[in-house]
Amino acid sequence: MKTRITELFGIQHPIIQGGMHYVGFAELAAAVSNAGGLGIITALTQKTAADLAKEIARCREMTDKPFGVNLTFLPTVHAPDYPAYISAIIEGGVKIVETAGRNPQEHLPRLKAAGIKVIHKCTSVRHSLKAEAIGCDAVSVDGFECGGHPGEDDIPNMILLPRAAEELKIPFVASGGMADARSLVASLALGADGINMGTRFIATQEAPVHENVKRAIVAASELDTRLVMRPLRNTERVLVNPAVERLLEKEASLGQNIKFEDIIEEVAGVYPKIMKEGKTDAGVWSCGMVAGLIHDIPSCKELIDRIMSDAEAIIRQRLTGMLG
Ligand SMILES: Cc1cc2nc3c(=O)[nH]c(=O)nc-3n(C[C@H](O)[C@H](O)[C@H](O)COP(=O)(O)O)c2cc1C
């Protein structure tokens, strides 16, 4: 399949694996890229820029296909050393960066000067237009369904994607709620040039996370996510568990007075315990509503091949058949 996204990134299939904290290691990125999609290493999971440089080198040993690095600009006062991470990306010869969180404008000149293509992840049409205006090459439009941070507008992809298509000139991928060929074909119909998946890629053979995490996603239904941290305007969609219930009780009792310190136990530093040790109740962790559509743990190649062949069948048989 050829779209503006496959052309832009030089990939075979219009399927991207979004950056994921403590999931987006070289093993997963390489597996997705080897399967013809675009794998992405998550920069901030690496404690230092030197660690990121090693992770990029490790990924390059596992694939000769294009892969990217995610740079998440967090809403924090103690910012990570982004310029050093960017140096590791440039020196590692990575040609694709997925930015997310805050506006990436101040870092764009260095990335662009190094010939890097930038895809910015946004949760609204206005942020997508801003990304286009500041020179991003593409955007990843993340609907309300998504795992992780859906923003504060709560617009689902059935509306957000065609709205983005109405306004944007640069290519965009649909993100949030994407699981299979139906998602891909629907996204293309709504105006996107491909899909970005997070939660679906966690439940794959190569995702370097504990089996408990994969099993929790397969076991979950579309009813099992919750939104946390809304009073802090840092809304996150997570899989429900006792830590999430505890956090939501604190939000209900403290109301608008709640501070980050009040929920630190449920939120801070919990990812290694969950993703590596498999203690899935150790804190809150991102997961999309799409868990309801995830019923197996295939290899990345099986998953991507299945999406592409089923998409062809939907387009050639089901849809074309309807035209009579
Ligand atoms: C466990 C997990 C961790 C994530 N961590 C990040 C992150 O560090 N940076 C980022 O930009 N997006 C992060 N995301 C969001 C994904 O890249 C992607 O946009 C999102 O999962 C898409 O929605 P889906 O889960 O419905 O596919 C994370 C998602 C999950 C499920």
Side-chain angles (χ1 to χ4, degrees):
M1 187 179 282
K2 200 161 137 184
T3 73
R4 292 189 296 170
I5 283 291
T6 59
E7 300 281 289
L8 179 68
F9 295 140
I11 53 177
Q12 197 185 348
H13 307 303
I15 300 175
I16 302 177
Q17 165 248 316
M20 287 182 280
H21 197 38
Y22 273 92
V23 182
F25 293 96
E27 286 79 7
L28 180 60
V32 173
S33 288
N34 282 333
L38 180 69
I40 293 191
I41 293 172
T42 311
L44 297 189
T45 300
Q46 303 300 323
K47 292 214 162 50
T48 65
D51 292 333
L52 176 60
K54 282 187 210 142
E55 197 67 9
I56 291 169
R58 251 172 26 88
C59 195
R60 202 167 294 295
E61 275 170 23
M62 290 185 256
T63 184
D64 54 7
K65 301 268 171 55
F67 62 90
V69 172
N70 166 283
L71 263 181
T72 304
F73 299 110
L74 300 166
T76 137
V77 268
H78 307 293
D81 189 353
Y82 290 112
Y85 281 103
I86 291 173
S87 296
I89 291 168
I90 294 172
E91 285 157 24
V94 172
K95 292 295 174 201
I96 300 162
V97 164
E98 176 197 53
T99 53
R102 290 186 171 179
N103 182 332
Q105 188 164 19
E106 65 172 295
H107 304 287
L108 280 186
R110 272 187 82 202
L111 294 169
K112 307 272 18 173
I116 291 171
K117 300 269 189 289
V118 176
I119 177 164
H120 185 58
K121 190 155 54 191
C122 346
T123 58
S124 68
V125 174
R126 70 186 181 283
H127 291 145
S128 303
L129 284 171
K130 184 75 191 171
E132 179 175 270
I134 65 175
C136 292
D137 299 280
V139 285
S140 195
V141 175
D142 225 5
F144 184 49
E145 308 87 330
C146 74
H149 294 271
E152 311 302 327
D153 289 351
D154 303 355
I155 309 296
N157 267 334
M158 195 58 91
I159 310 298
L160 189 59
L161 297 173
R163 278 289 298 122
E166 283 176 3
E167 305 259 353
L168 283 171
K169 291 187 193 66
I170 55 174
F172 69 97
V173 294
S175 179
M178 304 296 146
D180 52 32
R182 297 169 299 184
S183 327
L184 173 60
V185 176
S187 298
L188 297 174
L190 294 171
D193 294 279
I195 57 173
N196 178 67
M197 304 195 294
T199 306
R200 173 66 270 196
F201 274 121
I202 304 178
T204 58
Q205 292 294 327
E206 295 94 339
V209 302
H210 198 282
E211 282 301 310
N212 291 353
V213 176
K214 302 181 189 186
R215 282 196 214 113
I217 290 172
V218 171
S221 87
E222 63 277 20
L223 301 173
D224 293 332
T225 70
R226 299 288 181 274
L227 296 175
V228 297
M229 294 193 283
R230 177 133 274 183
L232 298 168
R233 289 192 67 77
N234 186 28
T235 302
E236 182 179 357
R237 185 178 296 286
V238 299
L239 189 68
V240 70
N241 66 20
V244 171
E245 305 277 18
R246 229 169 32 238
L247 192 159
L248 290 173
E249 277 164 27
K250 289 183 194 177
E251 286 186 359
S253 63
L254 295 169
Q256 292 303 319
N257 297 325
I258 195 163
K259 296 191 188 55
F260 185 71
E261 294 77 62
D262 297 317
I263 57 167
I264 209 151
E265 193 192 322
E266 285 81 20
V267 173
V270 296
Y271 268 76
K273 289 183 210 144
I274 295 159
M275 297 299 173
K276 292 196 155 172
E277 298 168 33
K279 294 178 183 154
T280 52
D281 290 347
V284 312
W285 54 282
S286 298
C287 176
M289 286 177 164
V290 73
L293 293 174
I294 298 173
H295 310 303
D296 61 356
I297 305 176
S299 70
C300 289
K301 180 159 169 44
E302 283 164 355
L303 176 63
I304 290 178
D305 284 351
R306 182 167 81 199
I307 294 175
M308 295 316 299
S309 61
D310 289 356
E312 191 171 335
I314 293 173
I315 296 166
R316 286 196 200 280
Q317 292 159 28
R318 184 157 197 272
L319 300 185
T320 307
M322 285 173 181
L323 294 174

